[in-house]
Amino acid sequence: MTVNVSDGNISRMSPDEWRNLGEMAWSSEYGGLLVIGDAMRAMQDRRDQIWCVTDDGQARHVTNDLNRYYGLSVAADGKTIATVQVEDPLNIWLVPAAVSSERILPHPAPLPRQITFGSGRYYTPSWMPDGRIITDSDTGGKREIWIISGEVQAQQLTTRDLKNLVPLITPDGRNLITLSSRSGRLNIWRSDLGESNSVQLTYGEIDNWPALSSDGKTIYYESRTGGNWTIWKVGVEGGRAPEQLTSAGNAGSPVPSPDGKFLAYRLSANPPERSGIVVVTADRLKPVRTFDLPTTAGGLIRWAQGGTAITFVDDRSGASEIWSQPLSGQRARQLTDFREGRIFSFNWSPDGKNLVVTRGSKASDVVLLSR
């Protein structure tokens, strides 16, 4: 917003919507207001870039890369910008045989193996029925869907810039389920693998973290309305309106059990730093178990194969590790032993023999940008 100093009139400077705005500085040399921000139209996660908003309200890139920026200072001549450039790549790792169907294997933890490299980000990998991995990634410059097969180089599946995120493949291999903002809001869509025959399935204010039932017929997800997150479900084939499953508290990250009998989700209570895992029956939502989580736990949860435990990310050691909470109520146990870095997402293979993890670390440097 701008304020006219003569009459106090407040007006909007740019029609663009922003997820985040940071430091600002005027520069006649660049022709307007320099600002660090995350523009909605850029559709990148946490991609704070330097923009210039001109007098006519147009926002144009000053930087447009895979890094993030914070801190902004302009030299007296207006030609040089000092800023902090942050590189925080996310790459995919495989942890073999971490958990069997019935028991947690003892330490030492299996050695993880990195299968993607580079400065891009691989965000939310999941498993395809044939054992390949599908994920969303900005490694090609735009957020698209990629497929990774063993030691073969990752192959880009989508190219139409439809802003697909969090990809899932139905067990029959026919349908691609994604989050997409192509309609102006972040909702769940279904299409075939070629991105054709697209159907919008949800219409919430913001929908997030879809999870497929084991039979591939139902999608569970979280949706925000008026600042409150609740759990919903919708059929993969559509036809019926989405159904709201929870109403109280802030609930998120719903995941159906491998046998389809139970549903687990995160629930944040008051005070806000208190949170836990709630397990209910999938048919009538009857409470089964509730587990408190430490304040260092992340938001994403997954069922272990066999449905005997729920796994989650915990940073209690200073690094992100995967932990397992048995449904029996026994004490949670650490599964991985990365010892450094942060985990963004993870998923178990259908047979429970492999764990796919996206993780990375952050490096930053002060840089000078000149016209």
Side-chain angles (χ1 to χ4, degrees), residues 69-95:
Y69 295 86
Y70 71 89
L72 182 66
S73 180
V74 181
D77 61 7
K79 296 181 180 181
T80 304
I81 301 171
T83 185
V84 178
Q85 185 183 73
V86 180
E87 182 180 279
D88 51 355
L90 289 170
N91 278 293
I92 295 179
W93 296 66
L94 286 182
V95 182

Side-chain angles (χ1 to χ4, degrees), residues 120-199:
R121 294 179 181 87
Y122 295 86
Y123 291 95
T124 55
S126 63
W127 295 88
M128 301 178 69
D130 59 8
R132 293 182 295 171
I133 295 169
I134 189 167
T135 186
D136 47 335
S137 175
D138 62 9
T139 192
K142 293 182 179 180
R143 189 86 168 254
E144 296 285 359
I145 306 300
W146 293 68
I147 292 179
I148 300 168
S149 178
E151 301 297 333
V152 180
Q153 185 176 4
Q155 297 179 330
Q156 188 171 338
L157 176 66
T158 62
T159 58
R160 296 169 58 192
D161 195 21
L162 294 181
K163 301 174 176 60
N164 291 320
L165 322 174
V166 195
L168 302 171
I169 299 293
T170 53
D172 60 11
R174 295 172 49 208
N175 294 311
L176 171 65
I177 308 298
T178 62
L179 286 174
S180 176
S181 65
R182 70 188 78 173
S183 65
R185 290 185 175 184
L186 197 60
N187 299 121
I188 298 173
W189 290 67
R190 185 198 76 228
S191 67
D192 59 29
L193 295 188
E195 283 190 295
S196 59
N197 302 315
S198 295
V199 177

Side-chain angles (χ1 to χ4, degrees), residues 208-222:
N208 202 7
W209 290 118
L212 275 168
S213 59
S214 57
D215 61 8
K217 296 181 179 180
T218 304
I219 303 168
Y220 295 90
Y221 64 99
E222 62 183 43

Side-chain angles (χ1 to χ4, degrees), residues 253-275:
S253 189
V255 282
S257 61
D259 61 9
K261 295 181 179 180
F262 303 100
L263 178 70
Y265 59 89
R266 285 285 305 265
L267 183 65
S268 298
N270 290 318
E273 58 269 15
R274 291 288 302 276
S275 65

